[in-house]
Amino acid sequence: MSEQQPWLHDLEIAVNGPATALSAGSGRMGEGATGWIVDDRRILRSLYVCLSDEDTVPIAASSSGPTSDFWGAARHLGDPGADPTVDVHQSTQVGLHELLIEITVSSRASSPVNTGLQVSVGSDGIDLSEVKGGHTDGAAPEIVMDEQIWWSDARHRTTLHPSPAPASVERLDASRFRQTWPLQLGPGESRTVSLRFEAIRTSRSAHDADSGVMACDWDDLEVTGDDAWRDLVRTNLTDLKHLLQKDPEAPEDIYAAAGTPWYLTLFGRDSVWAARMMLPYSPRLARGTLRTLARRQARSADPVTAAEPGKMLHEVRREIYAQGEMELPTVYYGTVDATPLWIVLLHESWQAGLDLGEVRELLPNLLAALDWQAGAVDASPDGFLRYVDHSGKGLSNQGWKDSGDSMRRADGSIAPAPIALLEAQAYAVQAAYGAAELLDALGEPGAQGWRAWGESLAQRVRENFWVDHDGERFLAMGLDAEGAPIDGVGSNMGHALGTGLLTNQEEDLVVERITRPDMLRRFGIGTLSAENPAYNPTGYHTGSVWVHDTAIILRGMAQGGYTQQADQVFDALVRLSARSRHRFPELIAGEPVGQEPVPYPAACRPQAWSAASAAVLMQHAQRR
């Protein structure tokens, strides 16, 4: 059987800055993607707890932000009968360069319990891309057992600090060992053992980012409402808080890493959208995101990295990221929309109160971003913002729907690239209008030219993107390589709402089409119409429901005054929260099982723009 990407839907995931811990529902690590991952490298491979050589039975688990908690029962110990009388509670806490595991054994048995707590630990050192690729047979670093227990990989030295000290330590093989603590528990007694794993960087990267959790500026946000509503907001904003990272080049600036475990790093599009959603509650996140991306704005052309002068990056990695035929460099610019979205964030930040002096500091970046946007449109054959992978090893689709099969015609066939995405044109128009206001406010020339540029692009979209099919009129997802409309019905059209691209009458058509049952599902808006022959409810972009996609469309509806339709979308996301333990996943399947959401098995959790969607819901709730 070929190696496959491990699934995540049944795992408990905790995160803090550049570190994340993934565990099975029992608290164990050792299968699939489980383990402790720091700086895109898995440090701890396995962690296994048992009592008297027998497994405990997992009963419940919960995760939020940096913490996962587990409740298990030792059915082979204590009083006979159906009621468990010996419990095992495990807490997994991701700290700043450390992982703390606390194991508490409690007895409610009627007589004393004598047992041995055994914890087996295994080292690891493989890169995140290997974990994602399903590789499990790499050579783990040898564990050194002298005065301390420690091991080293290519990037870290990891040291274990147990408390209290174990009664015995047994080496299982070169990369695994087992510690044992004898326990004697009287009725009502508990004992706790702590394992603190400390990871010290021994080989630094220019992209090493520390946790930005201390810079969070929304901790004092007051949340009113019933318990379910407060849980929705607090759970997701706690997750977002612990996805914050500091810019290694300027630690006073923070941004939201895209998501764990696969994207725990700076992503242009994702980080900007998270900052836009959070702007009413976190000006610091918006400011830090703007400045972090501006520092890395491309200054020269390089087809390998997809860099072009003025372009904002797509993602940052510590090592080359290879998956199949794809091979992304450590700094990769293969995104068509991060640059206009950055301009939009700058404009919205100014509207929200960003000092004009700080806007002026970013004026060179704004002008360069505008030049890139205009140059990209001029270079295209039909006057639209397009993308193309010149390297042959980058992303074939460079919008947010970046899977190779995402752009579908009405007959289900895949549209050929390079593609002019509808939403990219919408962002570019919004960026042009916003930039014009900024230039006017700064007393700089060019504002009227950018207004005319935006109006011209909007008119070209109006003439080329509308599809008349079976008596209905809707917006295509994009134009394919030949300039033909990609006439599959998708969620892309919803991103045009509120951008200034559409007339009121055109927005009416978009809202009506996107709220039909084939698009608006029980838990959100689908990426592709259920009527399309290529529809797959568990397809990454061909029928699934993405939380952020749904929230963006909700945001546009609300801004346009489509209150009734926005309420429907709002209710769908609140419904999803109630059935996902209030922690929004990256995406779910497009259809439920019974009345419950079906997880997308490989979805990240938490994901920054999914967690930030709670802020969109908060804003809408205030309007209702």
PDB file of all heavy atoms in Angstrom, residues 357-369:
ATOM      1  N   GLY A 357       0.389  58.462   9.696  1.00  0.00           N
ATOM      2  CA  GLY A 357       1.846  58.388   9.650  1.00  0.00           C
ATOM      3  C   GLY A 357       2.331  56.963   9.435  1.00  0.00           C
ATOM      4  O   GLY A 357       3.306  56.740   8.702  1.00  0.00           O
ATOM      5  N   GLU A 358       1.649  55.999  10.051  1.00  0.00           N
ATOM      6  CA  GLU A 358       2.015  54.600   9.839  1.00  0.00           C
ATOM      7  C   GLU A 358       1.648  54.143   8.438  1.00  0.00           C
ATOM      8  O   GLU A 358       2.348  53.330   7.833  1.00  0.00           O
ATOM      9  CB  GLU A 358       1.343  53.721  10.891  1.00  0.00           C
ATOM     10  CG  GLU A 358       1.868  53.941  12.296  1.00  0.00           C
ATOM     11  CD  GLU A 358       1.424  52.853  13.251  1.00  0.00           C
ATOM     12  OE1 GLU A 358       1.834  51.692  13.061  1.00  0.00           O
ATOM     13  OE2 GLU A 358       0.646  53.159  14.176  1.00  0.00           O
ATOM     14  N   VAL A 359       0.557  54.673   7.915  1.00  0.00           N
ATOM     15  CA  VAL A 359       0.205  54.365   6.532  1.00  0.00           C
ATOM     16  C   VAL A 359       1.295  54.897   5.599  1.00  0.00           C
ATOM     17  O   VAL A 359       1.719  54.205   4.661  1.00  0.00           O
ATOM     18  CB  VAL A 359      -1.161  54.975   6.166  1.00  0.00           C
ATOM     19  CG1 VAL A 359      -1.472  54.747   4.684  1.00  0.00           C
ATOM     20  CG2 VAL A 359      -2.267  54.380   7.026  1.00  0.00           C
ATOM     21  N   ARG A 360       1.796  56.105   5.883  1.00  0.00           N
ATOM     22  CA  ARG A 360       2.833  56.685   5.037  1.00  0.00           C
ATOM     23  C   ARG A 360       4.112  55.844   5.056  1.00  0.00           C
ATOM     24  O   ARG A 360       4.800  55.727   4.037  1.00  0.00           O
ATOM     25  CB  ARG A 360       3.135  58.125   5.466  1.00  0.00           C
ATOM     26  CG  ARG A 360       4.142  58.823   4.565  1.00  0.00           C
ATOM     27  CD  ARG A 360       4.256  60.299   4.862  1.00  0.00           C
ATOM     28  NE  ARG A 360       3.037  61.024   4.537  1.00  0.00           N
ATOM     29  CZ  ARG A 360       2.708  61.402   3.311  1.00  0.00           C
ATOM     30  NH1 ARG A 360       3.494  61.090   2.278  1.00  0.00           N
ATOM     31  NH2 ARG A 360       1.606  62.079   3.104  1.00  0.00           N
ATOM     32  N   GLU A 361       4.423  55.245   6.184  1.00  0.00           N
ATOM     33  CA  GLU A 361       5.603  54.377   6.258  1.00  0.00           C
ATOM     34  C   GLU A 361       5.484  53.216   5.268  1.00  0.00           C
ATOM     35  O   GLU A 361       6.494  52.712   4.767  1.00  0.00           O
ATOM     36  CB  GLU A 361       5.775  53.827   7.671  1.00  0.00           C
ATOM     37  CG  GLU A 361       6.190  54.860   8.713  1.00  0.00           C
ATOM     38  CD  GLU A 361       6.271  54.264  10.099  1.00  0.00           C
ATOM     39  OE1 GLU A 361       6.149  53.016  10.218  1.00  0.00           O
ATOM     40  OE2 GLU A 361       6.443  55.022  11.068  1.00  0.00           O
ATOM     41  N   LEU A 362       4.249  52.796   4.999  1.00  0.00           N
ATOM     42  CA  LEU A 362       4.013  51.679   4.094  1.00  0.00           C
ATOM     43  C   LEU A 362       3.713  52.140   2.669  1.00  0.00           C
ATOM     44  O   LEU A 362       3.397  51.308   1.810  1.00  0.00           O
ATOM     45  CB  LEU A 362       2.857  50.823   4.618  1.00  0.00           C
ATOM     46  CG  LEU A 362       3.128  50.106   5.954  1.00  0.00           C
ATOM     47  CD1 LEU A 362       1.845  49.492   6.505  1.00  0.00           C
ATOM     48  CD2 LEU A 362       4.196  49.045   5.795  1.00  0.00           C
ATOM     49  N   LEU A 363       3.815  53.440   2.406  1.00  0.00           N
ATOM     50  CA  LEU A 363       3.524  53.950   1.069  1.00  0.00           C
ATOM     51  C   LEU A 363       4.386  53.305  -0.010  1.00  0.00           C
ATOM     52  O   LEU A 363       3.859  52.937  -1.071  1.00  0.00           O
ATOM     53  CB  LEU A 363       3.676  55.478   1.047  1.00  0.00           C
ATOM     54  CG  LEU A 363       3.450  56.152  -0.315  1.00  0.00           C
ATOM     55  CD1 LEU A 363       2.035  55.892  -0.830  1.00  0.00           C
ATOM     56  CD2 LEU A 363       3.728  57.655  -0.211  1.00  0.00           C
ATOM     57  N   PRO A 364       5.706  53.133   0.187  1.00  0.00           N
ATOM     58  CA  PRO A 364       6.490  52.460  -0.861  1.00  0.00           C
ATOM     59  C   PRO A 364       5.986  51.059  -1.167  1.00  0.00           C
ATOM     60  O   PRO A 364       5.978  50.633  -2.331  1.00  0.00           O
ATOM     61  CB  PRO A 364       7.909  52.437  -0.282  1.00  0.00           C
ATOM     62  CG  PRO A 364       7.945  53.568   0.692  1.00  0.00           C
ATOM     63  CD  PRO A 364       6.567  53.609   1.288  1.00  0.00           C
ATOM     64  N   ASN A 365       5.550  50.333  -0.127  1.00  0.00           N
ATOM     65  CA  ASN A 365       5.008  48.991  -0.334  1.00  0.00           C
ATOM     66  C   ASN A 365       3.681  49.052  -1.058  1.00  0.00           C
ATOM     67  O   ASN A 365       3.386  48.221  -1.932  1.00  0.00           O
ATOM     68  CB  ASN A 365       4.842  48.278   1.000  1.00  0.00           C
ATOM     69  CG  ASN A 365       6.116  48.251   1.811  1.00  0.00           C
ATOM     70  OD1 ASN A 365       6.297  49.087   2.700  1.00  0.00           O
ATOM     71  ND2 ASN A 365       6.998  47.311   1.517  1.00  0.00           N
ATOM     72  N   LEU A 366       2.854  50.050  -0.725  1.00  0.00           N
ATOM     73  CA  LEU A 366       1.572  50.224  -1.406  1.00  0.00           C
ATOM     74  C   LEU A 366       1.784  50.503  -2.885  1.00  0.00           C
ATOM     75  O   LEU A 366       1.136  49.880  -3.743  1.00  0.00           O
ATOM     76  CB  LEU A 366       0.796  51.367  -0.749  1.00  0.00           C
ATOM     77  CG  LEU A 366      -0.474  51.837  -1.479  1.00  0.00           C
ATOM     78  CD1 LEU A 366      -1.499  50.710  -1.556  1.00  0.00           C
ATOM     79  CD2 LEU A 366      -1.061  53.067  -0.795  1.00  0.00           C
ATOM     80  N   LEU A 367       2.689  51.421  -3.191  1.00  0.00           N
ATOM     81  CA  LEU A 367       2.923  51.761  -4.596  1.00  0.00           C
ATOM     82  C   LEU A 367       3.481  50.571  -5.366  1.00  0.00           C
ATOM     83  O   LEU A 367       3.097  50.322  -6.513  1.00  0.00           O
ATOM     84  CB  LEU A 367       3.870  52.958  -4.683  1.00  0.00           C
ATOM     85  CG  LEU A 367       3.327  54.269  -4.101  1.00  0.00           C
ATOM     86  CD1 LEU A 367       4.398  55.354  -4.154  1.00  0.00           C
ATOM     87  CD2 LEU A 367       2.064  54.713  -4.822  1.00  0.00           C
ATOM     88  N   ALA A 368       4.379  49.810  -4.724  1.00  0.00           N
ATOM     89  CA  ALA A 368       4.938  48.628  -5.390  1.00  0.00           C
ATOM     90  C   ALA A 368       3.865  47.575  -5.616  1.00  0.00           C
ATOM     91  O   ALA A 368       3.826  46.908  -6.667  1.00  0.00           O
ATOM     92  CB  ALA A 368       6.080  48.055  -4.558  1.00  0.00           C
ATOM     93  N   ALA A 369       2.970  47.395  -4.636  1.00  0.00           N
ATOM     94  CA  ALA A 369       1.881  46.421  -4.783  1.00  0.00           C
ATOM     95  C   ALA A 369       0.930  46.840  -5.907  1.00  0.00           C
ATOM     96  O   ALA A 369       0.479  46.013  -6.711  1.00  0.00           O
ATOM     97  CB  ALA A 369       1.125  46.285  -3.465  1.00  0.00           C
TER      98      ALA A 369
END
